[in-house]
Amino acid sequence: MKPLMIKNIEQKDAHSFSIEWNDGLVKEYRLSELQKRCPCAGCVDETTGEQILDPSSVSDDVRASRIVSVGRYAIRIFFTSGCSNGIYSFDFLHAFSY
Ligand SMILES: [Zn+2]
């Protein structure tokens, strides 16, 4: 199997964007939903996998100020509020569902 890669990222509106994957899948992501699932050590307990972040504390209105790629396997999203430490792997995003 070919490694998962992003062919294209497109901003849909202020609150969501879509990714076209190299296997043909196109998926839309709402920024607030991604932040609610922030995988960083401050939002998820590394040993138990339990969520520390209270999802209701995430603003539905949150936007991205910047999206940068991390190596060839992940992206990092800088949000306008809340936690921006999460590294969102391609595997995670490709499988992401609400
Ligand atoms: Zn976080």
Side-chain angles (χ1 to χ4, degrees):
M1 213 177 82
K2 275 201 293 183
L4 211 48
M5 302 256 278
I6 291 176
K7 269 181 84 175
N8 194 33
I9 295 191
E10 195 180 322
Q11 178 151 13
K12 303 304 274 182
D13 55 46
H15 307 293
S16 59
F17 64 96
S18 69
I19 293 179
E20 183 185 354
W21 297 95
N22 63 338
D23 66 356
L25 179 75
V26 179
K27 207 176 238 188
E28 211 173 302
Y29 301 90
R30 191 170 166 92
L31 289 158
S32 56
E33 294 302 323
L34 288 179
Q35 193 180 45
K36 283 176 193 169
R37 301 265 296 274
C38 178
C40 86
C43 295
V44 175
D45 187 305
E46 275 179 296
T47 26
T48 65
E50 219 173 293
Q51 191 170 41
I52 301 163
L53 168 81
D54 175 6
S56 66
S57 71
V58 171
S59 163
D60 263 352
D61 230 33
V62 71
R63 300 171 182 225
S65 57
R66 223 150 48 97
I67 297 180
V68 299
S69 50
V70 178
R72 291 171 161 275
Y73 69 96
I75 57 172
R76 182 162 171 194
I77 303 168
F78 291 87
F79 295 99
T80 50
S81 65
C83 180
S84 288
N85 295 323
I87 305 287
Y88 296 87
S89 74
F90 290 172
D91 287 341
F92 174 90
L93 289 168
H94 190 268
F96 189 81
S97 58
Y98 295 105

